[in-house]
Amino acid sequence: MPEINEVTLSVVIPAFNARDFIDISIESVLRQQVHVDEIIIVDDGSTDDTALYVQDKYPMVKLIQQNNGGVSKARNTGVAHSNSKYVSFLDADDEWRDDTAKTWKRVIKKETGCKFLAANYTIKDWNNKASCFEYDVLIDNPISIYSTNNNLKIWTGAVCIERETLNKLGGFDENLRNGEDIDLWLRLMLSEKKIYYVAEPVAKYNFINDESITSTINKVDFKNREKLIYKYLEEQIILTADEKQEINNYFSNAYNNAFINSLFELDFNRLIKILKLKNKFKLSKPSLISVSNLLFTIIKKKK
């Protein structure tokens, strides 16, 4: 399929103490139905023999070693060493479907002007889809959809981004230790004003490694989330009135969900932090009505 293979694609895989499971990600990329131009492994200061293992078993990959700096720095390092026009990412314990590269290259050839592609993915098994999107779609108001539609799921292992665009935006924000992926998606949406979403899953989120450099799922780091809100709502980034409202909607929804989870868990320290952020940034949620209704539900269940 020479026409599709005209599109060049690199895959960046950050790794930290990944010796026991990195085969999962690398082998899934090697199984691709169409050619992947580069597989770049960034060893982020591992204390095991991850680098030596990769070097010995996979001489075809590009291996880069650096001092431990976190997942954002590792991904940025990989992008800096890539040579393809498009870049995708995959964590060391996750995997691609056999036709993922083919999907990305097909969409790029079809949607020649789209520089930010995302796709559905599965969690732990290939049947547990993260999103219920039924068809591929080019979205020209992505921030609005992302902030109001919980069905538009974007995960780092299921994106494909033009390298030049990624470099212009500065890549992942290395000052953020939590939410760095969300920050990049928002900047891409603000920059490109559109996103192509593939309905079929292209990757699987395995959750094998609890100590991985991206294992912060379900852990809310309020200090860094506050940095992220400040970045968008306090004019460090210039937004139009509509864009500012969409960003506000996004964080309102995100913090409302965090608030609901904390309420059901009766995590009062977390509730107080969220309410302080709500007041500081004038977020529209959580509302007094939603709080009252949830408290009533909890009390009723406990009787």
Side-chain angles (χ1 to χ4, degrees):
M1 200 170 292
E3 189 175 82
I4 283 183
N5 276 325
E6 290 173 5
V7 178
T8 54
L9 175 66
S10 296
V11 183
V12 174
I13 304 176
F16 176 73
N17 290 348
R19 163 64 175 81
D20 293 337
F21 47 81
I22 198 168
D23 293 304
I24 297 171
S25 58
I26 297 177
E27 293 290 345
S28 76
V29 179
L30 292 176
R31 287 195 303 268
Q32 292 302 298
Q33 296 173 3
V34 301
H35 179 63
V36 174
D37 298 85
E38 289 180 314
I39 303 174
I40 302 172
I41 308 295
V42 182
D43 180 56
D44 190 50
S46 295
T47 57
D48 66 2
D49 62 345
T50 295
L52 183 61
Y53 178 77
V54 170
Q55 191 174 43
D56 287 347
K57 186 171 182 180
Y58 300 104
M60 74 290 291
V61 310
K62 183 183 291 187
L63 174 65
I64 302 161
Q65 293 178 267
Q66 65 178 31
N67 294 331
N68 183 260
V71 66
S72 294
K73 185 174 182 180
R75 288 174 180 151
N76 288 342
T77 297
V79 173
H81 285 80
S82 66
N83 295 302
S84 301
K85 185 171 182 179
Y86 286 84
V87 179
S88 288
F89 303 93
L90 191 61
D91 285 351
D93 55 343
D94 299 320
E95 57 191 300
W96 270 3
R97 212 166 71 170
D98 292 355
D99 61 350
T100 297
K102 182 178 179 181
T103 296
W104 291 140
K105 293 190 177 193
R106 172 183 59 80
V107 173
I108 290 166
K109 291 295 291 185
K110 176 186 174 185
E111 301 292 335
T112 54
C114 197
K115 301 174 181 179
F116 179 26
L117 317 176
N120 204 351
Y121 58 95
T122 64
I123 301 172
K124 292 190 176 181
D125 68 66
W126 287 111
N127 297 314
N128 187 19
K129 294 182 181 181
S131 170
C132 296
F133 262 75
E134 296 181 359
Y135 50 87
D136 296 2
V137 58
L138 179 64
I139 302 170
D140 59 6
N141 57 340
I143 291 182
S144 178
I145 298 295
Y146 193 50
S147 65
T148 58
N149 187 343
N150 289 330
N151 196 30
L152 182 58
K153 307 292 186 183
I154 302 177
W155 170 52
T156 317
V159 298
C160 184
I161 306 166
E162 186 189 58
R163 182 169 59 92
E164 183 180 350
T165 298
L166 195 55
N167 287 334
K168 283 180 181 178
L169 293 176
F172 291 91
D173 188 339
E174 296 177 17
N175 294 314
L176 294 171
R177 303 294 292 188
N178 184 269
E180 74 289 330
D181 52 345
I182 295 169
D183 171 64
L184 181 57
W185 312 153
L186 292 174
R187 282 188 283 128
L188 280 163
M189 291 173 188
L190 288 168
S191 170
E192 297 306 310
K193 311 297 184 187
K194 60 183 177 180
I195 176 176
Y196 192 92
Y197 195 85
V198 178
E200 278 299 306
V202 301
K204 177 156 64 86
Y205 201 158
N206 282 322
F207 288 101
I208 290 173
N209 180 29
D210 290 337
E211 300 302 319
S212 73
I213 50 183
T214 55
S215 64
T216 56
I217 190 75
N218 294 327
K219 298 177 184 177
V220 177
D221 183 335
F222 284 98
K223 182 178 179 181
N224 287 292
R225 292 289 182 178
E226 183 169 346
K227 286 183 186 177
L228 189 51
I229 298 177
Y230 184 82
K231 183 174 183 177
Y232 286 95
L233 299 186
E234 295 294 292
E235 300 177 347
Q236 288 193 20
I237 288 181
I238 298 173
L239 305 175
T240 66
D242 288 344
E243 288 171 343
K244 194 164 186 176
Q245 183 58 51
E246 297 300 350
I247 295 290
N248 189 295
N249 288 341
Y250 170 77
F251 283 112
S252 291
N253 289 330
Y255 274 88
N256 192 52
N257 292 336
F259 187 88
I260 290 171
N261 291 335
S262 298
L263 193 59
F264 276 105
E265 295 167 4
L266 297 180
D267 185 345
F268 290 108
N269 289 331
R270 193 171 171 190
L271 289 171
I272 290 168
K273 289 180 180 179
I274 293 172
L275 288 173
K276 284 182 178 178
L277 289 173
K278 168 186 165 61
N279 292 332
K280 181 174 181 179
F281 296 104
K282 298 181 174 61
L283 300 177
S284 59
K285 296 178 181 180
S287 67
L288 289 175
I289 294 175
S290 68
V291 172
S292 300
N293 289 340
L294 282 165
L295 281 172
F296 176 76
T297 303
I298 290 172
I299 292 169
K300 189 174 180 181
K301 283 186 175 181
K302 288 186 176 291
K303 285 183 178 180

